[in-house]
Amino acid sequence: LLQVVRFLAARVHLGRATMRASQKDFDNAVKQVKLLKEDPGNEVKVKLYALYKQATEGSCNVPKPGVFDFINKVKWDAWNALGSLPKETARQNYVDLVSSLIPSSEASSRGEPGTQEKLLASEDVVVTSEDGITKIVFNRPTKKNAITTQMYQEITQALKTASKDNSAMTVFTGNGDYYSSGNDLTNFTSTPSGNIEEFAKRGADILRDFVDTFIDFPKPLVAVVNGPAVGISVTTLGLFDVVYASDKATFHTPFSHLGQTPEACSSYTFPKIMGPAKANEMLIFGKKLTAGEAYAQGLVTEVFPDSTLQKEVWARLKAYAKLPPNAMRISKSLIKSSSEREKLHAVNAEECTTLQARWLSEECIGAVTSFMSRKAKL
Ligand SMILES: CCCCCC/C=C/C(=O)SCCNC(=O)CCNC(=O)[C@H](O)C(C)(C)COP(=O)(O)OP(=O)(O)OC[C@H]1O[C@@H](n2cnc3c(N)ncnc32)[C@H](O)[C@@H]1OP(=O)(O)O
C-alpha cells in the first residue's frame, strides 16, 4: 500500500505540476466529501485523509502509532508516505481525487463510453459528454448561432466545469449551417434599463471572464468549425489548440465595419499565428478568409470536405481522447506557458477596456442600428 501511495503521490505531483487549486476549491472539496452519496471505500478514504493532512499540516509530524492501533497506523503510513510533497500539490491532488468521486450528474461529466450525457440545461448552449470528450455546441441555428450575453456566461461556466471533469478534451462546434455569427447584436439593445453605458461596463466584464476562461483552460481545446464563423467565434480560435474546419467554413472579423476592435486576444494571437501582414488585413480591413486561406495562414489545422467532416473528425477526436490525459495537459502547459498566459490576460484586459469605450462610439452605435433596421448585413 505504501508503495502504491508513494507512486501515486509522485505521479500525481508530476501530472499536476502546473495546476493550482485555490483554498476555496479545497474547502469546497472538503465539503463535497461529506456529501458523497456512495462510500468511496477504505483505500480512497485513506488517500483522502493523507492528502488532507498533508495539505493542511504539511509532512507527517506525529509519532507512529503502535502496531496494534491498526486503523491509525494505516492512516499514519499513508500520510507519512507523502514525504515532503508540497502542501499546494497535496491540496490540488485532494481536489482532483474528490472531483473524480463525484457522479457526473452532480459534477459535470464522467463520460462512460458510448453514453451521452447532457450536462447543462440550456437551449442555446448544449453541453454533453461522451467518450472522454466534453462537447459544447452553439445551438441557435435560426439566429446563425449568434452569442447572447447569457450564452457567454453559460459557456464560461461550462468551460470551468469541463476543466475539472473527467473528460480528456473539450470540443466546440455549431448546430446548423453556421459555426457562429459572433456577438448577438441585439445584446447592445437588450440591457434591462436600455442604458448603453451600463451594457458597455457589464459587457466588458463578461467578455473578460469569458476570454480568461479560454486562456486558462488546461486540457486540449478543439474547434470543429462546421460553417461560417464571424467576429468573436473567429478570434477565440487563436486560443484553441486544434481547429478543424469544413470546406464551407469562412472566417470573418468585420470589426472596423462595426466600429469595433479585436477581442479574445486576437490583436496578439493573430499576428503571432499568421504574421502581421495577413492579420492586419483580417483585423483592420475585415477581409473574410475561406477555409483554405485560413489553413494556409495557420489559423486552421486541417480542412475537410463538408460531406465527411463529422465522420472523419469525430473518429479522430475519439481516438485522441484515449491518449493519457495528464501527458496531454502537461504538453499543453509547456506550449502555453505561464508567462504566455500572463501576457494573454494582459492583452485581454486591454482589449476589453478598449471595446468598452468603442461600444459607446457613434461608429459602433450606427453600425448596430443599421443591422437592427435591416439596412446592413455583412
Ligand atoms: C458581452 C459582449 C461581448 C462582445 C464581444 C465582441 C464581439 C464582437 C463580434 O462578434 S463582431 C461580429 C458580430 N456579428 C455580426 O455582425 C453578424 C451580423 N449578421 C449578419 O451579418 C448576417 O446575419 C449573416 C451574414 C451572419 C447571415 O446572413 P443571412 O444568411 O442572410 O441570414 P440572416 O441575416 O437572415 O440571419 C438569420 C437570423 O439570424 C439573425 N442574426 C444573425 N446573426 C446575428 C447576430 N450576430 N446578432 C443578432 N442576430 C443575428 C438575423 O437577424 C436573422 O434573424 P431574423 O430571422 O431576421 O429574426
Side-chain angles (χ1 to χ4, degrees), residues 28-63:
N28 280 339
V30 172
K31 280 186 207 145
Q32 282 174 326
V33 166
K34 293 180 188 143
L35 299 173
L36 284 176
K37 289 182 186 138
E38 273 182 37
D39 186 334
N42 287 339
E43 198 175 330
V44 172
K45 281 197 236 166
V46 169
K47 267 188 224 159
L48 285 170
Y49 166 83
L51 288 169
Y52 178 86
K53 294 294 271 184
Q54 192 83 8
T56 53
E57 295 177 34
S59 299
C60 182
N61 55 2
V62 295

Side-chain angles (χ1 to χ4, degrees), residues 142-144 146 149 152 178 181-187 199 203 206-207 230-232 254-255 258 260 263 355 359 371 374 377-378:
T142 57
K143 299 284 179 187
K144 308 291 180 195
T149 307
Y152 286 107
Y178 262 64
S181 62
N183 189 41
D184 188 310
L185 295 175
T186 67
N187 285 340
F199 164 78
I206 292 172
L207 178 62
V230 185
I232 192 161
F255 299 124
L258 295 165
Q260 296 185 42
E263 79 284 283
L355 263 177
W359 288 330
F371 177 76
R374 300 290 182 265
K377 215 178 249 193
L378 294 171

Side-chain angles (χ1 to χ4, degrees), residues 124 138-148 151 174-184 226-230 233 371 377:
D124 299 339
F138 301 117
N139 187 38
R140 280 183 90 207
T142 57
K143 299 284 179 187
K144 308 291 180 195
N145 296 329
I147 308 170
T148 60
M151 288 166 73
N175 182 18
D177 58 344
Y178 262 64
Y179 176 65
S180 165
S181 62
N183 189 41
D184 188 310
N226 53 297
V230 185
S233 70
F371 177 76
K377 215 178 249 193

Side-chain angles (χ1 to χ4, degrees), residues 19-209:
M19 294 291 302
R20 266 178 293 135
S22 65
Q23 184 61 43
K24 199 169 154 210
D25 293 335
F26 180 70
D27 294 340
N28 280 339
V30 172
K31 280 186 207 145
Q32 282 174 326
V33 166
K34 293 180 188 143
L35 299 173
L36 284 176
K37 289 182 186 138
E38 273 182 37
D39 186 334
N42 287 339
E43 198 175 330
V44 172
K45 281 197 236 166
V46 169
K47 267 188 224 159
L48 285 170
Y49 166 83
L51 288 169
Y52 178 86
K53 294 294 271 184
Q54 192 83 8
T56 53
E57 295 177 34
S59 299
C60 182
N61 55 2
V62 295
K64 188 172 182 171
V67 282
F68 297 113
D69 188 356
F70 298 113
I71 294 177
N72 283 323
K73 188 170 170 303
V74 170
K75 286 160 83 178
W76 186 92
D77 282 343
W79 182 14
N80 192 47
L82 295 179
S84 57
L85 187 74
K87 276 184 171 182
E88 208 185 40
T89 311
R91 197 165 71 182
Q92 176 69 55
N93 294 353
Y94 184 97
V95 170
D96 287 347
L97 182 52
V98 172
S99 70
S100 74
L101 300 173
I102 298 172
S104 48
S105 53
E106 288 167 40
S108 48
S109 70
R110 298 199 106 173
E112 296 299 328
T115 59
Q116 194 182 62
E117 265 178 292
K118 193 169 174 198
L119 303 169
L120 202 72
S122 159
E123 297 270 298
D124 299 339
V125 177
V126 175
V127 185
T128 51
S129 194
E130 187 181 22
D131 296 328
I133 300 173
T134 293
K135 185 160 129 188
I136 301 181
V137 182
F138 301 117
N139 187 38
R140 280 183 90 207
T142 57
K143 299 284 179 187
K144 308 291 180 195
N145 296 329
I147 308 170
T148 60
T149 307
Q150 190 185 334
M151 288 166 73
Y152 286 107
Q153 293 169 301
E154 287 174 356
I155 291 168
T156 302
Q157 192 47 53
L159 274 178
K160 284 185 178 158
T161 305
S163 70
K164 294 194 185 128
D165 71 13
N166 281 353
S167 63
M169 65 171 71
T170 291
V171 181
F172 274 75
T173 193
N175 182 18
D177 58 344
Y178 262 64
Y179 176 65
S180 165
S181 62
N183 189 41
D184 188 310
L185 295 175
T186 67
N187 285 340
F188 290 96
T189 55
S190 56
T191 47
S193 62
N195 179 342
I196 184 80
E197 287 183 0
E198 192 185 285
F199 164 78
K201 164 83 186 73
R202 187 159 166 265
D205 288 345
I206 292 172
L207 178 62
R208 192 171 46 248
D209 277 0

Side-chain angles (χ1 to χ4, degrees), residues 282-298:
M282 271 192 94
L283 296 177
I284 302 177
F285 296 144
K287 184 185 178 197
K288 191 197 282 189
L289 301 191
T290 62
E293 287 166 338
Y295 168 72
Q297 283 159 27

